[in-house]
Amino acid sequence: MAETDSVPTNPRTPHKTAIDAANTAGTLVVVAAGNENDDVANHRPGNCNNVLAVGATNQLGSRSYYSNYGTGVDIAAPGGATGTDTKILSTLNNGTTSPTTDAYAFYQGTSMATPHVAGVATLVRSVNPSLTPAQITSVLRATVTAFPGGSTCTTSLCGAGILNAGAAVAAAQQPARLRVQTSPAVPSTITVNGVARNDWGLWAEVAPGTYNVCFGNVAGYNVPACRDVAVSAGGTATTTGTFTAN
């Protein structure tokens, strides 16, 4: 999905309904941040929840002059920029009212950057079909190439970094491990993403992503708050719930 409108915040209901339905069905919705050289917060669908918003960079690793920006941008990818590079070679068709011969042309825009990310997301899912949309997003963002020195991009303007296809696919094939402990050792029921197990204290192999960890009530103790724990592909994470006597 590479649509962008110059609509500040509302109405977003049709977009939101479609995006939420796709996300619930297990589909990652990748959208263009837009080409207005403005904060993505002012443009849909990049300002919707449950999307992966993509900004554009030029061949120098700086923000393409037209690309929308801001904390709502999740990741950047090559989008081309007149005057800096030769833009992005794209496929098209020469037909005006019906398909005729296939052709190629150079274009620029966040709509050129977005297919890079959607394609890599598909490759990530192909090597690890168990990944959820949120986990695919986590893999893509955790494996980016950092913006080069002197870039006009920062992580608060252009997302986590520049898409790195090879690193993302390699990472998605590496298992992650999560361990949940209590201090002191108390008989608390531990749930991870709503799933209760009695062996979370051991290393559990999980898909890369962010997990919500909660602890059950134990008589005589204050229960620690739930927390989100991020586990990168090939990495490990341990979280400890500290119970205090009441």
Side-chain angles (χ1 to χ4, degrees), residues 18 34 42 51 66 71 77 91 94 102 130 137 144 161 209 218:
N42 298 325
V51 300
Y66 52 79
T71 56
T91 57
N94 287 321
D102 294 331
S130 67
T137 295
V144 293
V218 177

Side-chain angles (χ1 to χ4, degrees), residues 183-225:
S183 178
V186 294
S188 173
T189 299
I190 298 170
T191 60
V192 176
N193 284 358
V195 178
R197 281 172 43 176
N198 60 9
D199 61 347
W200 282 120
L202 305 175
W203 287 110
E205 189 169 297
V206 295
T210 300
Y211 292 84
N212 183 253
V213 177
C214 292
F215 302 87
N217 293 327
V218 177
Y221 290 91
N222 298 308
V223 180

